[in-house]
Amino acid sequence: VPYVSNTTAELITSKDQVKELLGRQVYSSVCWEQSIEKMIADGADTFVEIGPGRTLCGFMRKIDRNVKAINIALTLAGYGATVIVNYCGSKDKAEAVVEEIIAAGGTAKAYQGDVSDFDVAKEMITSVKKEFGSIDILVNNAGITKDNLIMKMSEEEFDKVIEVNLKGAFNCMKHVSRIMLKQRSGHII
C-alpha cells in the first residue's frame, strides 16, 4: 500500500524504505503540512485521526476545509464500541474525549498508564478485560515526539521516544494478543 512519509513528504511504494523512514522520524523534523498537501493533491479527501485529541482534525482545517478528518475514538463509539481512552499525562484531553463520547450516547472510560512500561500495560489491559469482558480492537496510537536535530537530542529523549512509540506498541500487542486468541477474534490497528 503506498503512503506518504511524514519525514520526506514523498510517496513511498517500496516496503524496503519503510524501516529506514520510520527510524528517521525519531531524529528528523516531520513534514506534516507538506505530506498532507501531497496527499490532497493526489486525491485523498478523508483522513483518520488515531488518538484522543483533535490535532489532525484541527490541522486539516487549516490546510483545506474541504478535507474530512475523522477522530477514530469518536467514530468507533458512534458504531457502538465501548472506547477506552488511555493516557499517560494528558488526563484533561482524555476526559474531554470520554465526555464527548458519553454526551453522544456512547460508552467510554479513561485509563491512566504508561504503555512503555511492560507491567503497567499488562495491568491496564487486564483491568479493561475484567471490567468490560472482551477487547475487540486495539488501536496502537501512543506516541511522542522530541523533534530536534540529532546533535541537540539527548540520549534520554531518544530513549523515551523509542520506549513509548515502539515498546509501547509491542507491550500492548503482547498483552492483548492472548486475550484475542482466546476470544478467537480481535483487531489490532
Side-chain angles (χ1 to χ4, degrees), residues 5 26-27 45 47 52 56-57 83 87 91 98 105 110 112 118-119 130 137 147-149 155 168 175 178 186 188:
S5 166
V26 176
Y27 60 84
D45 62 0
F47 293 79
L56 176 64
C57 296
V83 176
Y87 67 94
K91 182 177 182 176
V98 168
Q112 195 278 331
F118 189 82
D119 294 328
K130 185 176 182 179
I137 302 170
D147 287 346
N148 214 341
L149 296 174
E155 182 179 2
H175 298 309
R178 186 174 305 275
I188 298 174

Side-chain angles (χ1 to χ4, degrees), residues 24-94:
R24 190 185 300 178
Q25 286 184 161
V26 176
Y27 60 84
S28 298
S29 295
V30 294
C31 305
W32 282 113
E33 188 168 357
Q34 298 89 337
S35 297
I36 291 169
E37 287 171 346
K38 167 75 173 144
M39 289 183 272
I40 291 170
D42 289 343
D45 62 0
T46 303
F47 293 79
V48 176
E49 178 160 26
I50 300 176
R54 294 190 174 268
T55 305
L56 176 64
C57 296
F59 191 60
M60 293 302 299
R61 281 190 291 276
K62 290 180 183 177
I63 295 172
D64 187 335
R65 290 196 175 273
N66 297 320
V67 174
K68 185 176 181 183
I70 301 168
N71 180 294
I72 197 144
L74 302 175
T75 302
L76 290 172
Y79 283 104
T82 297
V83 176
I84 304 304
V85 181
N86 165 252
Y87 67 94
C88 186
S90 303
K91 182 177 182 176
D92 292 340
K93 288 182 181 179

